[in-house]
Structure formats: C-alpha cells, structure tokens
Amino acid sequence: MLAEARRDDGARVPGRINLLGFPELPGRDELLATLAACGIELGCEMFPDLDPARLRDFARAELLVVYPWDRYEEPIERLLAAFSDIPAVRPPAPFGVRCSAAWLTEVASALGRRGALEATWREDQVDWGPTWEALRARAGGYRLGFVCDDSDWRATLRASRRMGVPLLELVMELGFAGVDVFAFAGVRRPAPPRDPRVALHTFTTRDELVEGLRRSRAVSFYSELYYDRRLSRLGKNSFSLRDVACGPRGAVRTLERLLTRAQLPFYRRYASLLGEPFTIGEGA
Amino acid sequence: MNADGGPDARDPVARWRQRRARQLAPRPGEAFSIPYRIPFQVGLFMAINAIADAYAIIDGPDCLYRKAEWIHGRHDARSTLLDAGGRHRVVPTLVNSEAVVTSDGREVARRVKRVAQLDDVGVAVICSMPHVTIIGTQYDRLIGELQPSLSFPLLEVLGRSLDGDWVDGYADTLEALAAAVELRGRAPEDDQVAIIGYLMDRGEEDHQGNLRELARMIEALGLRLRSVWLSGTRYEALAEAGDAGTLLALPYGRKAARTLARRTGARVIDIDAPFGLQATRAMLRALGRATDRVEAAERFIAREQARLIPRLEWIVPHYFTGRRVAFAGDPQMLAGFHELATELGMIVDFMAASARARDELPAVDDAHTITLYAPPESTLTRILADTTRDGLELLIGDSLAHNAVRSTKLLGLHFGFPCFQRHALFDSPFLGFNGWMWMLDAIANAIDLVHQRQHAPPER
C-alpha cells in the first residue's frame, strides 16, 4: 500500500489534505465543504475506508490530518513515519462548535488559509447560530448521565475510546445543566470530577445503582444498547453515538437530537407500565 | 418580552421563534395564490353526506357538483351524496352569474318541490352561493310558504362562503339541525350520552371505527352512547339526542349542543376531539366527573394504558424519537397531533390548518412549533420545500397538503379531509385509545418507508 502511495510522488497540490482515521461520520461532508469554500480539498483518506484508486495521489497532499481515535493509532503512526516529509496536524475531533472551530482553524492555518476560513465561518454562522443559541438555552433545563462499570470512569469516557467523540465535554458545551456519572466502586475508589457541573455517584450493587438512577435528576443516559430496559423501565431516556454529528451544523443537529431525547416524556410517564428493569438475579 | 412587546433580545428562544415565524409567514407574492382553506359549501355537503336521508338545495350554479365530488367518489367510497340514477342529494338551482339578476327564489321552490316527490327525504337544507347570497333572497319567507306542504323539515343555512370555511359549513348545519329536530316525547336520562359535533367526513371504516371506539369508551363508564351528531344515521335518529342527559360537545358542535340543551335541559360538557392519549383521558375524566363516575373513568384509563403502552417500549426510541414531521389538516386535530407526536419524541416542524383559527380550539403550547391557519398554497409549497431541505422527513396530512409537496424526498401519510389516496376498508379508528394506537401504527409504518429510502442503495 505504501509503495502504491509513493507511486505518483509528484508535486504537492496546494490546499490538498489527506484524512487519516477519520470515519465517515454524519456532518463530515459539510465540514469538508467548509474547507472547500476556503480552497482546501480532500485528496485521499485512509482508515477506516480506503479508495485504492486515489491512493497513488497520497503523496501529493500538502497536509495530513490525523483523527484522534485509538483504533488506527499504530498504522497511522507507521504512515506518518513513511511520509514524514508531509506536515501533519492532530486537531481535536470536530464535535461541538468549539472543537469544530479548532479543527477547521488548525487545518486552515497549517495551509495559510485562516483568513478565508474565518470569513466562511462568519458567513455560515448567520445561518446556524440563532438555532444553536436557542437550543442551548433550552438544553439548560436538563441533566444527562453516564453509567460506567469501571471505577476509572474518565478513561471509559475518553474520546479516543468513543470513536474520537469527547462525549463529556461535548455534552457540557451543548449547554446541558450538568452530568451525573455513576461509577462502579467495587475495586477502586473513582476519582472525583474536575468540572463542578459533573456529579459523581458511586455504586457497588445493582440495587444501589437502581436507587441512584431513580433519584438522579438526569433525564437521559448514554447507552449503545438498542433496547436498554435498565434505563427505559426506570423512567430514563437514552442517547448514543448515533445521535452525534461533526462540524458546526452537526453540533446543532447533535444538540437537537440530544435535547429531543432529553425532553422525551414517554418513559418518565409510563415506566411503571413497562416491567422490571432487571430480570430476577441479573447483575445482583 | 421586552417593554415594546417584541421578543426579549436576550432570550435566544424568543429570537429564534420570531425568525422562524418570519420564514414561515406568507410573502407578498404568495398572498394572492389559492388559500389552503376548504370552502364553506364542502362542509355543508359533508354534513348532508353524514345524514343518510338529507338533501341540500343550493341556490347556485352546477359547479356545486364539483364540490360534491370532493366527497363523493373521491374522499368517501361509501358516499351516497350523488346518484347514478340522478337522485342526487346535492341539488343546485343552476343559477349562474347572468341569471342571478332576475333570481327571485322560484328556482329554489321548484327544486324543493321536486325533492318532495321523492319518498325517502328526512330533511332538506337550503343554502346559497355568494353571488346569489348578495341579492338577498328571503329564503326564510320561502320556507314559510313551502313547509306546510312538505313531509320533512326544510331548514336554512346561511351562505357564508365569503367569510367562512368548511368547518363553518359543517358547524352551521349542525346548529340549524339542533334548532329544528323534533324532540316531542323525548326526556333526558342521566345515563344516556350524546356526542354533538363529530366530524363524520366519510362513511368508511375509519369513521365507523371511531364510532365503535367512542361507544366502547362511554360504555366502559356504565353509560350509553345514544346519539352521535353526525354519524351517518337517518334524520329521525338525530332526535335520540333528546334522550341524553349529557351532551359531549366537540369543538364544531359547541353551538349546536347549547341550542339542543336549551330545548332538552341536558348538561353540556365541552371536550376536544379525543385524538391522542391526553385528549382521550381528558374526555373520559370530564365525563366521569359530570356523571359521578370518576373511579370508573380512572380504572378504564389505567386498564387501557396497561394494555397498549408496553407495545411502544422499543418503537419509541427507534421509530419516533427525533423524527421530524409536519401536520396539515383539520384544525381541531392540531393540538392532539402535537401532543401525540411530542410525547413520543417526534419534532413537529410546523403545522398548517385547512381552516381559520377558532377560539374554541385548544392552543398548541410549544416554543418550537409554528402553526399556520389557512395559509396561501404557494406559502405551504415553499415551507414544505424549505423544511424538507432542512430535514423534514414525513408529512401527515390531507390530499391538498400533499399536492403542495414538490420534493420526492418527503414521504407522506395521507390522513384527514380530503384524503383521495387512502381509503379505510377495515377497522381503523383514529380517536380514543384504539385510535391512538392505529395512528401510531400508521406513522411507524410511514417512518419505516423513510428508513428504507434513507438506506436504499443509490440509484444507478
């Protein structure tokens, strides 16, 4: 593959970037369109997908942009070493408005197009800005939550282990009132949170967790399970990475989806009609 | 709000809502296009269609048949409004704009006498088209002269085509019936209930299902549903409402119920259409309070919710929550639809009513949803195009609203009046508990089509 990538080692194309490890997440096309408006084009992408036809152009990029996700760390490092003559940047993953701006700025600055980016950003913001502000104001009425079966809850929620999405930081930027983290404290004592808006609750038994969830003011919890009765039957909603999109418009959509899930009254109203959250003996 | 009545500049929700309202408001060039508002006469015909032996004699041209065809042969596959043998229940005088200057009511009298030759007439209603209304024909005098020789009541419904819409046409006809129906020998009984103002827009199994569901719910409280205005019965059966000690007044039957109650002494309870869980519960609780059956109402509500709600546990997050929908149609359904949709996490992008706003209808309480009443059709077309571009996935509405859709990306669930594309051949209520579940079933299946389209391989 590397030999193929070296095959057309012609002149660099000004403004061309290669993406490394950046999955085709919702909102990515819009993010690239913002770069395109500044004269920055996508050359080749590697991991998780690969287009062999474009691989021969790999060496013609002016910049390599690395996405922060554990899964492809090793092959990407090898690739960077092999193409050490091409500058590389490692911006934070573009989730939320702040990180999207940081991602775009770092890429554009490295190519000397920061001014163009700032103009494009200002122009776009006129469109999505009011909705973003209105949704954030509404999000301020809700708390979200996480349940971690590991006492090292910070490691569990780290972006590199969540497809690059800094979930905790994202939720806070979206304007939610706060976060309740429930961490298992059976082996080690979990470390306290640094952000005062994050409340840490510990549990050692299923009953403690159930009681804590019932009492929690958080209305929606992170879960990647398709049918998570442990939440629905305790009157809690759930959200997942499927709700997350990148870029500023993606941030608006993420906020809209998380807010919709937070506001959903169905489980709060009718949990008592749905059955038991745990089957007998399960997780006791 | 700030001191000058505008939205607070510091309140981003108010600012967003103002911006959104501006986007949705009709633009100058759109204001003169055809309004998304169904005409007055169609509401009157709907009422005539829903009384099996009623006739409408309309002082106006033969284009009235076209209006009757909104219902007969298109919306209602069970309609008897028009007849292959010529015994139409809509009878125009054929007065055109030229002949109107010499019109003196004789053509109306001629049509009434012709109708009187039929052997199954329960009631006849006289109304007029606007170009005839303005010459001021005294239909009440005409009725006074003709009535003694008729075996059926002849009523007048004032033509309000210029300031009214289909809802007025239906409601005004009910009011005329309430004043005229023969009530001799009738006495209100405590355990008998009548529903006044039911919008029977067709005789198909959606409305038959609604009538069965309404009867089931009322009987669950130990009461008997004696009469529903209107429900496809013959005219003489409407008198059974005189036996009801309680009149449940739906929004379009509020005036008719009060007119009837003044004559019978029945109590009137105003209710919203039981569309969605909240309105259904509210109807049962109101009826329970009025008839001293509060516990029976609560028991029934609990039983029905326990029966139906577990079915939704996993449908809610994966089919409904976060789906962006719009609703267009009958204004009395807006609040119920909004509650039904938002309780399950759907985002209602906007709603449009095919009639004017009315005081008797509940307001929709939501900072997100803007409601338009009888907007120009070109405005509706523009909004549908814009919101589809912004992510609107499903339009639930009548055929007029679907005609305004220009994008193939937007999927539709045909619902309401008129509904030319979908007919109800099997029990499919949309009111009450069973109606709530039918509606959610229909929406889930429509959303499944959205899923299929989103995940379909690209066209080659």
Side-chain angles (χ1 to χ4, degrees), chain A residues 126-138 225-233 238 242 253 256-257 260-261 263-267 269-271 273-275, chain B residues 11-13 15-16 19 23 277-278 281 302 305-306 309-319 321-324 339 342-347 349 366-368 436:
Chain A
V126 172
D127 194 35
W128 56 260
T131 307
W132 166 254
E133 290 304 329
L135 290 171
R136 281 190 87 241
R138 288 162 62 186
L225 294 187
Y226 203 68
Y227 293 165
D228 202 338
R229 61 179 144 73
R230 300 167 304 177
L231 293 173
S232 62
R233 295 178 181 187
S238 60
R242 285 188 300 276
R253 285 203 296 279
E256 188 176 66
R257 297 195 68 152
T260 302
R261 292 192 182 279
Q263 290 176 322
L264 175 67
F266 181 80
Y267 296 110
R269 285 179 189 162
Y270 304 121
L273 298 173
L274 300 177
Chain B
D11 180 356
V13 178
R15 278 204 315 271
W16 178 89
R19 183 170 176 261
Q23 288 169 346
L277 263 192
Q278 188 170 297
R281 286 188 299 242
Q305 292 191 161
I309 282 172
R311 300 179 190 179
L312 295 169
E313 184 173 11
W314 303 121
I315 295 292
V316 170
H318 302 300
Y319 276 78
T321 304
R323 287 290 166 190
R324 292 181 57 179
E339 185 267 336
T342 55
E343 183 170 55
L344 304 179
M346 285 178 257
I347 299 168
D349 268 334
D366 180 2
H368 180 88
W436 178 63

Side-chain angles (χ1 to χ4, degrees), chain A residues 34 50 59 77 83 91 106-108 112 122 125 130 140 144 182 190 202-203 217 220 231 246 261 265 283:
Chain A
T34 302
L50 178 70
E77 290 307 323
F83 290 89
E106 196 163 337
V107 172
R122 277 195 301 273
Q125 197 172 16
L144 303 188
F182 288 82
T202 58
F203 64 93
R217 285 187 295 122
S220 184
L231 293 173
C246 52
R261 292 192 182 279

Side-chain angles (χ1 to χ4, degrees), chain B residues 35-39 70 161-162 164-166 353-356 374-375 377 400:
Chain B
Y36 171 53
R37 188 182 64 217
I38 301 169
W70 281 51
S161 295
L162 293 178
D165 52 47
W166 65 303
S354 59
R356 64 182 172 84
E377 275 189 2
L400 300 182

Side-chain angles (χ1 to χ4, degrees), chain A residues 109-123:
Chain A
S109 300
L111 297 168
R113 293 164 198 250
R114 184 171 178 156
L117 172 74
E118 285 174 353
T120 304
W121 179 276
R122 277 195 301 273
E123 202 174 303

